[in-house]
Amino acid sequence: MLLERPKKMLNKARKRAQVSDTVTWIVATIIIIAILLIFLYISSVLSGENAVEKKSSSVFSGGNSAEVVDWIALKTSIAYNLNDKNKEVIDKWIGENG
Amino acid sequence: MDKKATDKLISVYWFAILILTAAAIVYMVSIFYSQPYDIRELEAGILANKIADCVSQAGKLDSNLIDNQGKFNQNFSDNLLNICKINFNAENTNNWKDDQYYFSLDFFKVDDSTISIFNIKKGNLNLASSCEIQKTKEYIKLAKCVEKRFYAVGNDQYLIKILSVVRKTEKNVKQS
């Protein structure tokens, strides 16, 4: 009879430890799943933006410079070397294109 | 529960988490790379550049396009595709019948940039409506339009507007 009390107490303590262990694992699982869902969401959002940036109209200016210039704008500036009358009107018209 | 049983349970749990994580990574990679790259705007830009190169070299309008009296050559217009070495051949997919491209070329005088003095249109004319619709809002499934403007010198000053359009929606936009 005297030994039964400590045994009961030990069982109770074991049960409590088991419950806290289980809760820890459940919380850890929820966190892992939440992180996975966040990554899934991010990758699905990023996958929708697969449009390739438009840099085709640009050409390298030459030399070591990585600077790019607009191919069509280059044509206009070459034409200005031949005749730059009405430059403002022409620039305004070209600018209307945005 | 004894220690051996707990260890077994935990290893099963770890395997389950490992499989879940691996599956999620595979899924993420597949949804990211299954989206096609939309290169229609680039393609339309390249087409416009090619046309611009063909009609104007070194700032001057091509001598075959316009004569000394300022008259545009209709023959140049009719054979533009051959002269510029452009073809509208598209990949043999999705029942495309080489009708995926369109471009228009307008010439204006500097003193009146509203009325086109000469115009060349080639390709599938139906695609031009996509540009009108998308003036205010862009729709991903419609054809992509690129408008380019530049200036060139002939016997007079000319403003040139190129509108190039590429459809190819099936290959560039994910079909849902």
Side-chain angles (χ1 to χ4, degrees), chain B residues 129-145:
Chain B
S129 59
S130 293
C131 307
E132 287 298 317
I133 296 166
Q134 292 183 102
K135 267 187 177 161
T136 48
K137 194 186 168 198
E138 206 172 326
Y139 294 93
I140 193 122
K141 291 203 171 177
L142 288 181
K144 287 273 174 196
C145 309

Side-chain angles (χ1 to χ4, degrees), chain A residues 9-28:
Chain A
M9 278 173 71
L10 198 69
N11 272 347
K12 219 174 180 183
R14 257 192 201 159
K15 240 181 201 171
R16 226 182 251 170
Q18 269 183 349
V19 168
S20 74
D21 255 5
T22 314
V23 169
T24 309
W25 284 110
I26 290 170
V27 170

Side-chain angles (χ1 to χ4, degrees), chain B residues 30-175:
Chain B
S30 72
I31 56 169
F32 187 81
Y33 286 104
S34 65
Q35 292 278 353
Y37 281 90
D38 193 349
I39 57 154
R40 291 173 297 168
E41 213 165 328
L42 285 183
E43 210 174 344
I46 292 166
L47 178 63
N49 284 355
K50 178 99 180 151
I51 298 157
D53 275 346
C54 184
V55 296
S56 156
Q57 299 96 29
K60 281 184 183 172
L61 276 187
D62 192 287
S63 53
N64 296 316
L65 173 64
I66 190 163
D67 61 20
N68 289 334
Q69 280 80 47
K71 251 185 118 182
F72 282 90
N73 183 357
Q74 190 58 43
N75 196 36
F76 185 95
S77 164
D78 296 339
N79 298 306
L80 184 88
L81 295 180
N82 285 333
I83 294 166
C84 299
K85 296 185 175 63
I86 292 170
N87 67 62
F88 288 152
N89 298 348
E91 303 89 308
N92 280 332
T93 50
N94 305 95
N95 288 326
W96 291 344
K97 290 174 185 119
D98 299 342
D99 54 358
Q100 302 298 304
Y101 300 97
Y102 168 78
F103 73 81
S104 76
L105 189 58
D106 286 284
F107 296 86
F108 302 88
K109 290 257 188 186
V110 174
D111 44 25
D112 188 1
S113 58
T114 51
I115 299 165
S116 167
I117 52 166
F118 191 63
N119 178 280
I120 301 169
K121 287 176 181 166
K122 299 281 174 194
N124 183 0
L125 193 63
N126 294 328
L127 299 180
S129 59
S130 293
C131 307
E132 287 298 317
I133 296 166
Q134 292 183 102
K135 267 187 177 161
T136 48
K137 194 186 168 198
E138 206 172 326
Y139 294 93
I140 193 122
K141 291 203 171 177
L142 288 181
K144 287 273 174 196
C145 309
V146 168
E147 188 184 304
K148 297 206 173 184
R149 296 178 177 199
F150 64 102
Y151 158 63
V153 181
N155 65 322
D156 198 353
Q157 292 178 292
Y158 293 97
L159 302 171
I160 300 142
K161 184 171 87 177
I162 300 170
L163 175 72
S164 70
V165 188
V166 176
R167 191 183 161 272
K168 292 189 168 181
T169 309
E170 292 85 353
K171 267 202 155 178
N172 291 273
V173 180
K174 193 171 186 183
Q175 305 300 304

Side-chain angles (χ1 to χ4, degrees), chain A residues 33-47:
Chain A
I33 290 170
I35 290 171
L36 284 177
L37 287 177
I38 290 167
F39 276 103
L40 276 175
Y41 175 72
I42 291 170
S43 60
S44 67
V45 167
L46 289 178
S47 69

Side-chain angles (χ1 to χ4, degrees), chain A residues 74-90:
Chain A
L74 195 67
K75 281 192 168 292
T76 301
S77 20
I78 292 169
Y80 279 144
N81 290 334
L82 303 171
N83 187 349
D84 64 352
K85 242 168 67 182
N86 304 309
K87 192 172 184 294
E88 268 180 34
V89 179
I90 296 165

